[in-house]
Amino acid sequence: MLNVVIFGAPGSGKGTQSKLIIKEFGLEHISTGDVLRTEMKNGTELGKIAKGYIEKGQLVPDELIIGMLAKVLDSIENKNGVIFDGFPRTIKQAEELKKMLNERKTDVKYAINLDVEEDELINRLLERGRLSGRSDDNLETIKNRLEVYHSQTAPVAGFYIKEGKHHTIKGVGTIEEIFERIKKKLCQTS
Ligand code: B4P
């Protein structure tokens, strides 16, 4: 199974590139951000709790995310593999993902880290906020999200470096150029 983790700072292009990877490789898509936004829209208990964290630019607590992910994983039948978009965001989530996949006789094959400088990230997110009105795409929340990224999510790279699965991809350029870089990596090493 081709299980791929795609990670990077907020606005690095995870969701954007995931869509292209899914199409090319026939994978299932799990975006924890999308799942949380659906829960928020439907006004569920989880959605109400998540809203408080997301609007402050903080991470939703690990226990909630891990429980949510286990349910989504069990509902998937695609045998080609899964792209994990925006998960794991902490070392604890990376450890739990490994456990969950091992229990299902599989594992992560590649961790793709999209590298984009901070000014570009802020510009992209402000632009998305302007167009979509997403409540966490405002300057104050974006700055908090970037801080949280550096303190809690960036260390996840070390987890996958140790496992020999980590690949940094330059995340600046056109969407198609970046996708070509990712595709080359996934084809080269598979
Ligand atoms: P996410 O939904 O994962 O949001 P994100 O980090 O902003 O990335 P996203 O995938 O949406 O954006 P992309 O880079 O593709 O998370 C939202 C929140 O949910 C988190 O802050 C957290 O609170 C919570 N959460 C989610 N998962 C969690 C977890 N595992 N644990 C705890 N909490 C969790 O694109 C950004 C913009 O850039 C788009 O407008 C796009 O069009 C543009 N863009 C993309 N590529 C471009 C390019 N090459 N050039 C120019 N623009 C580009």
Side-chain angles (χ1 to χ4, degrees), residues 30 32 35-36 46 59-74 84 86-101 103-104:
I30 300 183
T32 42
V35 177
L36 290 169
L46 172 60
L59 295 183
V60 175
D62 283 340
E63 316 79 69
L64 292 179
I65 293 286
I66 290 160
M68 179 182 97
L69 188 92
K71 270 195 214 147
V72 178
L73 212 50
D74 282 333
F84 296 92
F87 182 95
R89 264 176 155 93
T90 62
I91 298 274
K92 169 85 181 156
Q93 290 182 15
E95 289 167 350
E96 289 296 325
L97 177 61
K98 188 172 174 62
K99 243 192 261 169
M100 278 191 260
L101 291 177
E103 280 165 13
R104 291 163 178 81

Side-chain angles (χ1 to χ4, degrees), residues 11-16 32 37 58 60 86 89 93 128 145 173:
S12 57
K14 302 182 289 290
T16 307
T32 42
R37 279 185 288 279
Q58 294 167 355
V60 175
R89 264 176 155 93
Q93 290 182 15
R128 183 173 65 187
R145 286 159 70 193

Side-chain angles (χ1 to χ4, degrees), residues 14-48:
K14 302 182 289 290
T16 307
Q17 293 300 327
S18 290
K19 291 194 189 96
L20 300 176
I21 299 171
I22 292 155
K23 216 168 151 206
E24 178 78 22
F25 295 94
L27 305 181
E28 192 72 35
H29 184 205
I30 300 183
S31 158
T32 42
D34 285 352
V35 177
L36 290 169
R37 279 185 288 279
T38 303
E39 297 278 338
M40 279 161 58
K41 206 170 131 217
N42 294 339
T44 64
E45 213 39 54
L46 172 60
K48 285 181 198 153

